[in-house]
Amino acid sequence: MVGVSGETCLKGQILQPYRHGRSRREILLTEESGRKIGSHTPMAVPLGEIWGPKDILKYGLEEQGMEPPIFRPMFKRSPDKTKAWGTKSEHLLRIDDHDFTMRPGFGGPAVSVGVDVQVESLDAISEVDMDFTMTLYLRHYWKDKRLSFRSNNNLSMTFDGRLVKKIWVPDMFFVHSKRSFTHDTTTDNIMLRVYPDGKVLYSLRVTVTSMCSMDLSRFPLDTQTCSLEIESYAYTDDDLMLYWKKGNRSLNTDERISLSQFLIQEFHTTTKLAFYSSTGWYNRLYINFTLRRHVFFFLLQTYFPATLMVMLSWVSFWIDRRAVPARVPLGITTVLTMSTIITGVNASMPRVSYIKAVDIYLWVSFVFVFLSVIEYAAVNYLSTLQERKERALRERLPCTCGMAHPGMMSASYSEVDANNTGNYGGMSGENGVKRERMLVQLAMENDQVTGHVGSGAYSSAGMDTHAIDKYSRVLFPGSYILFNIIYWSIYS
């Protein structure tokens, strides 16, 4: 609203009389009085007293012979200064009248600061770094009578982060945090709401990376509990009492929060006192959450491959013991594969000084694979040893030229029989021929009974080594199945 004098008047304000410094005698009429009032030429009027815009307008109309308009009286309204244009928040809240470097009620009882949290996301959990990252809305509630103001039509005033630097706010920090920051896109994500009675709501959006001490002795069949701790940095419990505003209901979470490796079982809050020997006792708030690890990923990537490698090592028990090029590479391949699996799992884990559940499974599987290689080494060694004995026995016997299977003895012909016939070694001539015929006859008779020809020493050695493979076919799978039953019953 613009007055005749050119001054701007706010809506709802009473127009005050316009004060002019000159009297009527000092104002001269420079043009004819018949000119219209809308003319740009200045007009002098005989003013004998202080005139306002209403009087000037009336006078001009009377000079023109026109009836002056009727001015209705304006009723004065009490303005709502919280909505008035041009009113500074510092003036309205009387910020300059107080020292906001001091806490509210300084020298009196501790100021109560209520806290509630809205968890927006749980971004990452790292076993290697032993930490987690969380984004949350942190809200503080307290009362500061220095910020009270008059308001008839307005319940509260809301400000951004620029006013926060001019008043007192709680000095909260995250205990054991590694990194944290307040979001600033597109502006600082800070909100300050002040109520007429001095109550204050201070909210900000924060992302924090905090430490989480994990017990990995049951990894990957483990359940972890992590905590985000909030505490005042400067004020002890004598000056600031920190509490959850609504108990467990003070912690709210987004239903869409999900993690790739964990299932979030529960969130809950607790409050404790923390003591520092040099400064005293402080109130500390805890946001606790329990996580259970998804095991299916590790079943596919670790447990199933390890089990298949152990089963593959058992194939060698069904391969002929004389097939060295087949059994040796099979055993070496399974051992190297198990070593690769163990190395890959440990590369993504922290270097802890205790044994994890996955370590037990992998190393037991590695032992089974290694024992299968040792088993073939034992079979091969015993076979070689028996062949040497059989070769030495053939060298001690006389030539059996003309035999269908020279150098082969029956299964019933043992080393004792060879030693007994060796007593005829000192004979010569006809007795020597008789001895040779006796040996051939014994071999021929046994061939007709057993249906095959072979030396007793070699046949005996063959049954022993075949028995080792036969027993391994049952012992290895049975032991591994028993181990799995015990393992999964303990850690599941």
Side-chain angles (χ1 to χ4, degrees):
M1 178 175 183
V2 182
V4 177
S5 63
E7 292 186 356
T8 303
C9 298
L10 299 179
K11 182 179 179 181
Q13 291 186 348
I14 301 298
L15 288 174
Q16 301 297 330
Y18 177 73
R19 301 289 179 178
H20 202 282
R22 293 183 296 174
S23 65
R24 292 183 179 180
R25 295 184 180 90
E26 294 175 333
I27 302 177
L28 300 177
L29 187 63
T30 59
E31 294 291 338
E32 293 182 359
S33 61
R35 291 181 179 272
K36 296 181 179 180
I37 195 170
S39 172
H40 293 285
T41 305
M43 178 181 65
V45 293
L47 301 176
E49 58 185 7
I50 303 302
W51 278 45
K54 178 178 179 181
D55 299 323
I56 294 174
L57 181 60
K58 179 180 179 181
Y59 176 79
L61 294 175
E62 288 178 349
E63 289 291 331
Q64 301 294 330
M66 300 173 63
E67 291 294 330
I70 299 176
F71 288 87
R72 295 180 179 178
M74 298 179 65
F75 297 98
K76 185 177 181 180
R77 294 184 302 174
S78 57
D80 186 0
K81 294 184 178 180
T82 63
K83 296 298 184 181
W85 178 84
T87 304
K88 291 185 177 181
S89 59
E90 291 86 350
H91 295 167
L92 183 62
L93 300 176
R94 305 188 306 278
I95 292 179
D96 296 333
D97 297 342
H98 303 281
D99 182 11
F100 282 95
T101 60
M102 313 293 287
R103 70 170 178 85
F106 180 77
V111 57
S112 299
V113 177
V115 176
D116 68 42
V117 170
Q118 172 76 36
V119 178
E120 182 182 9
S121 65
L122 194 57
D123 302 322
I125 298 177
S126 174
E127 295 86 2
V128 178
D129 299 327
M130 293 282 186
D131 59 21
F132 66 92
T133 302
M134 178 185 291
T135 301
L136 52 91
Y137 296 93
L138 181 62
R139 304 185 184 98
H140 311 74
Y141 303 84
W142 74 94
K143 186 174 183 179
D144 192 343
K145 294 182 179 180
R146 296 172 295 183
L147 297 177
S148 60
F149 61 91
R150 279 182 159 185
S151 177
N152 298 328
N153 304 323
N154 196 45
L155 295 178
S156 64
M157 292 188 298
T158 302
F159 306 94
D160 56 16
R162 288 172 288 186
L163 187 64
V164 173
K165 300 178 181 179
K166 300 179 181 180
I167 65 172
W168 181 90
V169 294
D171 57 339
M172 298 295 102
F173 80 104
F174 299 100
V175 185
H176 306 307
S177 65
K178 298 181 179 180
R179 296 175 300 276
S180 62
F181 63 92
T182 302
H183 291 260
D184 55 1
T185 305
T186 57
T187 59
D188 291 340
N189 296 172
I190 297 176
M191 185 268 288
L192 184 71
R193 182 171 295 169
V194 182
Y195 294 86
D197 58 353
K199 292 183 179 179
V200 182
L201 165 60
Y202 173 46
S203 175
L204 64 160
R205 182 168 175 252
V206 184
T207 295
V208 56
T209 300
S210 182
M211 182 186 69
C212 178
S213 299
M214 301 182 185
D215 181 13
L216 300 176
S217 59
R218 299 177 64 90
F219 176 88
L221 306 169
D222 57 334
T223 300
Q224 302 295 339
T225 299
C226 299
S227 300
L228 182 63
E229 305 172 15
I230 306 173
E231 183 181 307
S232 172
Y233 189 82
Y235 297 99
T236 63
D237 60 341
D238 295 330
D239 293 321
L240 190 146
M241 185 181 70
L242 203 61
Y243 67 97
W244 290 111
K245 185 174 179 60
K246 299 178 182 179
N248 277 333
R249 293 183 299 170
S250 301
L251 179 61
N252 301 310
T253 59
D254 193 335
E255 296 179 354
R256 296 173 297 176
I257 296 178
S258 62
L259 297 172
S260 59
Q261 290 192 29
F262 291 92
L263 173 65
I264 303 176
Q265 291 187 326
E266 66 170 338
F267 279 91
H268 65 278
T269 61
T270 54
T271 304
K272 296 181 181 180
L273 284 175
F275 177 73
Y276 299 90
S277 59
S278 57
T279 54
W281 293 89
Y282 294 81
N283 293 111
R284 182 177 296 181
L285 305 181
Y286 292 81
I287 302 175
N288 305 308
F289 53 96
T290 304
L291 306 172
R292 183 174 180 83
R293 195 182 306 273
H294 295 301
V295 72
F296 187 71
F297 171 81
F298 297 94
L299 289 177
L300 293 179
Q301 299 295 324
T302 304
Y303 287 94
F304 286 165
T307 303
L308 291 177
M309 287 301 103
V310 174
M311 296 174 64
L312 184 61
S313 67
W314 300 338
V315 176
S316 63
F317 303 151
W318 279 266
I319 299 177
D320 190 352
R321 63 181 181 275
R322 291 183 292 271
V324 177
R327 296 189 66 164
V328 172
L330 180 61
I332 297 301
T333 301
T334 53
V335 169
L336 294 178
T337 304
M338 284 301 306
S339 300
T340 303
I341 294 175
I342 294 174
T343 303
V345 171
N346 291 330
S348 59
M349 296 298 298
R351 299 177 181 177
V352 295
S353 58
Y354 50 83
I355 299 176
K356 303 180 290 294
V358 68
D359 294 335
I360 296 176
Y361 193 90
L362 291 179
W363 279 105
V364 170
S365 300
F366 183 83
V367 168
F368 271 89
V369 172
F370 183 75
L371 288 178
S372 67
V373 178
I374 297 300
E375 186 270 346
Y376 177 65
V379 169
N380 186 270
Y381 173 75
L382 293 177
S383 299
T384 303
L385 183 61
Q386 295 300 331
E387 288 177 0
R388 289 178 181 176
K389 291 182 178 180
E390 180 259 338
R391 188 181 303 112
L393 180 59
R394 288 202 308 267
E395 291 177 354
R396 291 171 56 185
L397 294 177
C399 179
T400 56
C401 299
M403 290 180 59
H405 303 280
M408 305 294 291
M409 298 296 295
S410 64
S412 61
Y413 186 74
S414 61
E415 293 184 18
V416 179
D417 297 329
N419 293 332
N420 293 335
T421 58
N423 294 331
Y424 298 97
M427 298 181 181
S428 60
E430 295 180 358
N431 293 335
V433 175
K434 290 181 180 180
R435 174 180 173 273
E436 183 177 349
R437 291 177 179 176
M438 183 185 298
L439 293 173
V440 174
Q441 184 178 0
L442 291 173
M444 298 278 299
E445 291 176 355
N446 190 71
D447 290 342
Q448 295 176 358
V449 176
T450 60
H452 71 276
V453 180
S455 64
Y458 187 82
S459 298
S460 177
M463 288 195 308
D464 292 341
T465 54
H466 179 74
I468 293 177
D469 280 339
K470 184 177 66 175
Y471 296 148
S472 299
R473 295 172 188 174
V474 178
L475 182 62
F476 274 71
S479 301
Y480 195 69
I481 291 174
L482 179 62
F483 161 72
N484 275 271
I485 293 174
I486 297 174
Y487 178 87
W488 293 108
S489 62
I490 293 175
Y491 290 103
S492 294

